[in-house]
Amino acid sequence: QMQRALRSLSIPLERLHIMKGHMIQDMCKGLSRHTHAQAKVRMLPTYICSTPNGTEKGTFLVVELCQSQVRILLVTLYGDGNMSPHMVYKIFDLPEGITRGEGEALFDFIAQCVSQFLAETFSSDTSKPEERIPLGFVFPFTCRQTQLDKAELLSWSKGFSCSGVVGKDVVQLLQSAINKQELCQVDIVVVMNDTVGTMMTCSTEGRTCEIAMVADKGSNCCFMAEAHLVETADGTSGRMCVNTEWGCFGDDGTLNDVFTPYDECVDVESSNPGEKRFEKMVGTLYLGEIVRHALIALTAEKAVFVGTDISVLKEKGVFTMQHILDIVNNEDGIDDAKRILELLGLQASERDCSRVQQICRAVMGRAATLHAIGLAAILSYMCQTRNMETLMVNVGVDGELFGNYSRFEEIVISVSRLLSPECKATLLPSRDGSGRGAAMVTAVALRLAAQRHEVNEVLAPLRLTHADLEKVQALMREEMDRGLCKETNATASVRMLPTYVSHTPDGTERGDFLALDLGGTNFRVLVVHVKEEGIIMASEIYIIPAAIMQGTGEALFDHIIDCVIDFQMKQNLVRDMLPLGFTFSFPCQQLGLDKALLLTWTKGFSASGCVGQDVVQLLREAAQRKQHTGMQVVALVNDTVGTMMACGYDDPKCEIGLIVGTGTNACYMEEMRNVGTVEGDQGRMCINMEWGSFGDNGCLDHLFTHFDKVVDDTTINPGKQRFEKLISGMYLGEIVRQIVMVMTEKQLLFQGKLSPKLQTRNIFQTKFLSAVELNGLPLRQIQAVLSELELDASFEDTVLLREVCQTVSLRAAQLCAAGLAAVVEKMRENRGLDQLSVTVGVDGTLYKLHPRFSSNLQKTLKDLAPKCNVSFLLSEDGSGKGAALVAAVASHAAN
Ligand code: ADP
Ligand code: MG
């Protein structure tokens, strides 16, 4: 019988693993938005997103509501790593019955304690602080917190049952009670659970503590979770401390198979049967009771106290925690057992004493083991969600069980190591209880609030309202109209260049075409077979040596023809005379589909004798010089047009082309009657907007921030392409760098250290924004990226950096959307439709690879142009395919 009792109190290893798995499952359930309401392990967000960094300073008041006391504490921190805070405290006993009376009386009592404490502490007027005193409130009950200083009580526990408090914000209740007192001004800035206070107490400079476990009358744990996984708290990033409330683990039955008959008895006799099952197996409030019930059962089975009157054991609470501790802690606890049992009035034989000791050891060992399971679950969860292979972490621990049970630490460490071998936890005893930690939380909260204020000030000019975006849309529309009108075209900042492309593909195009792509990242020659079954392409990249880019126009075009001849040879296409489409991504004034005057070279090209010339003619002349007859240039297109055409082949509704890569630009199908710069009123023509230069006439000056001006000043074309400089890949990284420098100067980042690296132009590339903004990208990886830039970033630095990147990329996407909104609204008006359905063909690495750009763009566009239903289609190799399709459509139309 004794064997059976002991076996029921010990949990086999494979069971421990299963329980750990259940705990992790329950934690995930508590964190998920969808399952949170049913979860037993509540995983309550605390809105505490940072641990102390040692720079905290000031004077903070802490009010801690405990089982039978109110503790008031005044802590002064000196910004010295929190090594030696100055503390004054006083403990007030709660009056009899107040914990079951009216809530108002409880809070009035607490406020009186505060008042009395302050009066005593600041007895002379000179020592009275002039500023308002921030207060941290430790309230160790289950609350639903919605911000740092707002916590609605969900349910009382630990013998409290004051009326009129459940469902109310306890911060407000205490603040009003305090306001009724005549005090120097006190502001509650944060409310927290006692576990959080413990975690903070154990964090000091260079040694952060990210888990806290309280093993006391009850049991609970909190830890720093990845904020994006805390779905019940909106709008936070980085990490957030989550109060697990793991005492309720098992309330859905997952602990049933380890629950012993003794546990059942304890549960039934408790004030809340069926609830807090885990806590009832591990809390010191219950351990004596478990032992008592085990002894009653064993007596009934005649395994102990044979022939002894054990009626004393029927009394609840006779077997105290202290009794158990005396028995289990001592090597020769048998003597203690004898003494205690006799004290209780039990006649105990030598064997009885030994058996009582064995039971006590089993109950205590199990309590420690169960704590280890919970801890192991949290360790593995943290390790996994941070994408780490191993995790080293400090765990702050407090409570009677930890403090007084000599084997607690050893068991917790060895069992958790067994269950989570990938993690290494170090237990740190909490210093001075949760009060000091609460002061730290308060200090951290204030530090963060001050920092937040400054961050917002820096970023405010980059945050655009709906009204701002509507204004941009209206301005774009104005510039479009001016650009289309013959009289105003010359002074419009959006050029609205006619392309002479009047049809998008209808899918019936057939044939083999050549295409050239000049002006993107590479020069390429392509052959495009447009067949019934689809489009097949082959291409080759050719190098254009710098000497040729910057030599004579003749040499450049000769080189291009050489490449075409080489390509046709390789592709076995020499005998054919193929129509050729030429994607030429430089600003041109087009006079026909195959007539385009180069306005200016960009992107490192400067071949002489080309500006002002017809580029198609230059290419044809080169072909003649080389006596190459295997091609016929039929069309020159801009890359936006190529993109639109390429997507138009798959989707006939595609009548807009958009590029968001190195630069940004758009084109769309306009009504000929609106195109004042080309003769004729029939049909439509694709207009190359050249919208990158939107704002070059000053109409967007109100939007440019200090950062944008600095970036613009350092470009090769200051004052030009202003819209593009707010949006495209070439500039976003540099805008971010400017902001980061200002923030570093303001001590908001990198501990104020402006490293030489940070002062290097273009050190942040736009692909860096993509990496930083990728949700869930583990801190380690961002830190690795940053350390490549010789930047030593703390976790909080990376979180703030992510916010900066998000602000910059969001603005870019929103502005791009405002431009597009002007386009789609104009098309809808042109066609006299209530609702327009249209597709945008898109190309550009920023649009394609940035994790949020496209969704931000689409969301904003919906807001700004609700009457347009706009789809987006990614173009695959738009420049090549599009040019061929323009050629195809042109020859199709000609036939
Ligand atoms: P182009 O516009 O010259 O034809 P791309 O469309 O490939 O070329 O765009 C290149 C630009 O894309 C670069 O300026 C770079 O800033 C940006 N870029 C490259 N990789 C990424 C990325 N992962 N996320 C966002 N932007 C990127
Ligand atoms: Mg491109």
Side-chain angles (χ1 to χ4, degrees), residues 719-865:
K720 296 276 178 346
Q721 300 292 99
R722 300 301 304 265
F723 192 54
E724 179 164 272
K725 285 174 186 165
L726 302 175
I727 294 175
S728 72
M730 192 158 176
Y731 309 100
L732 296 192
E734 191 56 12
I735 298 175
V736 166
R737 189 180 70 91
Q738 293 299 335
I739 300 171
V740 166
M741 286 214 294
V742 166
M743 284 189 166
T744 307
E745 275 163 15
K746 287 181 183 287
Q747 309 278 328
L748 296 169
L749 274 173
F750 305 126
Q751 295 180 310
K753 285 184 211 113
L754 254 187
S755 65
K757 249 318 180 0
L758 203 53
Q759 299 179 57
T760 314
R761 258 179 64 190
N762 296 324
I763 184 132
F764 293 131
Q765 293 175 349
T766 300
K767 69 172 183 228
F768 171 80
L769 272 74
S770 290
V772 170
E773 289 187 55
L774 204 61
N775 212 357
L777 184 77
L779 150 79
R780 242 165 10 108
Q781 282 182 27
I782 299 180
Q783 278 176 331
V785 175
L786 286 167
S787 65
E788 260 169 49
L789 305 180
E790 289 166 30
L791 295 171
D792 183 15
S794 70
F795 180 68
E796 280 156 43
D797 288 338
T798 62
V799 172
L800 183 51
L801 198 63
R802 178 178 284 178
E803 184 178 356
V804 171
C805 290
Q806 281 171 352
T807 307
V808 170
S809 74
L810 173 64
R811 182 183 67 154
Q814 286 175 331
L815 287 170
C816 191
L820 264 188
V823 173
V824 292
E825 269 299 299
K826 185 167 199 315
M827 289 173 79
R828 190 182 64 80
E829 272 175 46
N830 283 346
R831 300 174 190 191
L833 297 170
D834 290 333
Q835 197 75 36
L836 172 78
S837 237
V838 69
T839 297
V840 182
V842 202
D843 201 354
T845 306
L846 176 57
Y847 183 95
K848 285 178 174 170
L849 292 191
H850 188 279
R852 294 165 188 245
F853 190 92
S854 59
S855 56
N856 284 333
L857 166 65
Q858 291 175 29
K859 185 176 163 297
T860 311
L861 182 58
K862 257 203 183 81
D863 286 348
L864 293 174

Side-chain angles (χ1 to χ4, degrees), residues 172-480:
Q172 215 152 33
L173 293 177
L174 180 58
Q175 185 75 61
S176 340
I178 286 176
N179 294 349
K180 276 195 265 175
Q181 302 285 324
E182 291 191 3
L183 307 167
C184 41
Q185 301 292 324
V186 171
D187 288 323
I188 308 177
V189 296
V190 52
V191 58
M192 79 206 79
N193 190 275
D194 53 338
T195 49
V196 181
T198 301
M199 189 174 85
M200 292 294 183
T201 309
C202 296
S203 276
T204 48
E205 200 180 12
R207 188 188 67 176
T208 58
C209 169
E210 295 190 284
I211 305 180
M213 189 160 75
V214 173
D216 204 61
K217 301 250 177 326
S219 175
N220 195 9
C221 190
C222 68
F223 71 100
M224 296 302 283
E226 304 303 292
H228 69 102
L229 297 173
V230 188
E231 294 179 5
T232 46
D234 288 330
T236 51
S237 53
R239 290 190 182 136
M240 185 188 281
C241 178
V242 169
N243 170 16
T244 62
E245 291 290 340
W246 75 13
C248 295
F249 177 52
D251 287 7
D252 55 359
T254 37
L255 288 177
N256 286 0
D257 54 351
V258 292
F259 231 54
T260 64
Y262 328 127
D263 296 308
E264 294 292 354
C265 295
V266 173
D267 185 39
V268 168
E269 283 181 9
S270 69
S271 60
N272 50 351
E275 287 170 25
K276 301 225 162 190
R277 308 272 281 198
F278 185 69
E279 183 161 294
K280 283 174 188 164
M281 298 173 81
V282 303
T284 60
L285 201 57
Y286 306 98
L287 298 181
E289 287 298 282
I290 301 172
V291 171
R292 186 174 67 87
H293 282 289
L295 294 182
I296 293 173
L298 286 169
T299 309
E301 293 167 353
K302 303 221 179 324
V304 287
F305 303 128
V306 182
T308 305
D309 172 16
I310 58 138
S311 51
V312 60
L313 280 180
K314 298 268 156 68
E315 196 184 322
K316 217 175 148 182
V318 286
F319 222 90
T320 64
M321 194 57 207
Q322 194 54 52
H323 293 150
I324 302 185
L325 288 168
D326 286 347
I327 294 171
V328 298
N329 278 347
N330 289 344
E331 270 307 320
D332 28 75
I334 300 235
D335 293 343
D336 288 283
K338 192 160 189 70
R339 180 178 52 80
I340 289 160
L341 292 171
E342 271 168 13
L343 218 63
L344 291 174
L346 287 165
Q347 281 295 318
S349 68
E350 197 72 5
R351 198 183 65 164
D352 291 340
C353 292
S354 150
R355 292 192 166 174
V356 168
Q357 191 188 31
Q358 283 178 295
I359 293 293
C360 288
R361 283 190 176 150
V363 169
M364 292 293 272
R366 189 184 66 162
T369 304
L370 289 169
H371 274 99
I373 293 176
L375 180 61
I378 287 175
L379 291 170
S380 288
Y381 177 82
M382 284 171 81
C383 189
Q384 236 170 53
T385 53
R386 294 180 182 189
N387 283 341
M388 298 173 84
E389 273 151 33
T390 57
L391 177 77
M392 298 252 290
V393 68
N394 289 321
V395 183
V397 200
D398 202 356
E400 195 179 3
L401 196 60
F402 168 67
N404 298 335
Y405 173 33
S406 54
R407 293 199 57 207
F408 183 83
E409 178 162 354
E410 164 205 333
I411 296 176
V412 167
I413 290 295
S414 60
V415 175
S416 65
R417 193 91 183 120
L418 212 56
L419 296 179
S420 303
E422 76 281 20
C423 305
K424 185 166 185 302
T426 307
L427 302 194
L428 303 174
S430 143
R431 286 194 289 165
D432 320 310
S434 47
R436 202 188 99 179
M440 303 276 204
V441 176
T442 313
V444 169
L446 284 175
R447 168 170 66 76
L448 293 180
Q451 178 181 337
R452 173 64 8 213
H453 182 77
E454 278 198 75
V455 166
N456 283 345
E457 235 169 16
V458 174
L459 294 181
L462 292 131
R463 296 194 164 125
L464 304 179
T465 63
H466 184 78
D468 291 333
L469 294 170
E470 275 181 335
K471 189 167 172 198
V472 173
Q473 179 183 350
L475 285 167
M476 176 68 92
R477 174 59 196 266
E478 239 173 72
E479 290 296 295
M480 285 170 74

